[in-house]
Amino acid sequence: MRRDVFQAIADPTRREIIGLLVNQQLNLNSIADNFDISRPAVSKHIKILTQCGLITIKQDGRDRYCKANFVKLNEVASWVDQYRKFWNQKLDALGDFLDKETKDNQ
């Protein structure tokens, strides 16, 4: 199944995992220790994040370390930015209209 970054960030547990990896690499056990769900469930979340390209896993001896890859979040930022621009234009136009109405009614 092909996954994208939007599917990855749709789940609060995966967003929290990304948050844990903001400043540091963590092994799978360290990540799992932060959640009240089973380790296999955490592994499934890690797998989805890996498939979406938001984290990479590096083997170091017996441990597997997860590292965040925030480049993929640019896709989300671009998508959100188009709506930010749209709504800023609409709100600016509304503000101009209300200013004009206020001046006309004085």
Side-chain angles (χ1 to χ4, degrees):
M1 172 184 224
R2 181 164 166 78
R3 299 185 187 274
D4 66 20
V5 68
F6 295 95
Q7 289 173 310
I9 64 171
D11 184 273
T13 301
R14 291 192 288 269
R15 290 192 304 267
E16 196 171 336
I17 290 170
I18 293 167
L20 290 171
L21 298 172
V22 167
N23 296 316
Q24 60 187 343
Q25 294 182 31
L26 294 172
N27 67 23
L28 294 174
N29 287 329
S30 296
I31 293 171
D33 288 342
N34 288 280
F35 299 95
D36 291 330
I37 58 176
S38 68
R39 292 197 190 283
V42 171
S43 291
K44 286 182 183 180
H45 287 298
I46 296 291
K47 182 178 180 180
I48 291 168
L49 290 167
T50 303
Q51 290 172 341
C52 296
L54 285 173
I55 65 170
T56 56
I57 297 178
K58 183 179 87 174
Q59 189 81 29
D60 186 11
R62 289 179 51 170
D63 284 328
R64 297 174 66 205
Y65 286 89
C66 299
K67 179 181 178 183
N69 179 13
F70 295 115
V71 172
K72 291 293 284 181
L73 288 178
N74 288 336
E75 187 178 331
V76 176
S78 296
W79 184 80
V80 168
D81 194 47
Q82 70 182 339
Y83 292 100
R84 181 182 306 118
K85 288 176 185 175
F86 170 81
W87 283 110
N88 282 340
Q89 290 172 349
K90 295 297 182 189
L91 292 172
D92 287 345
L94 176 61
D96 293 344
F97 172 78
L98 293 173
D99 288 345
K100 183 180 179 299
E101 286 293 310
T102 302
K103 286 179 186 175
D104 290 346
N105 289 330
Q106 289 181 349

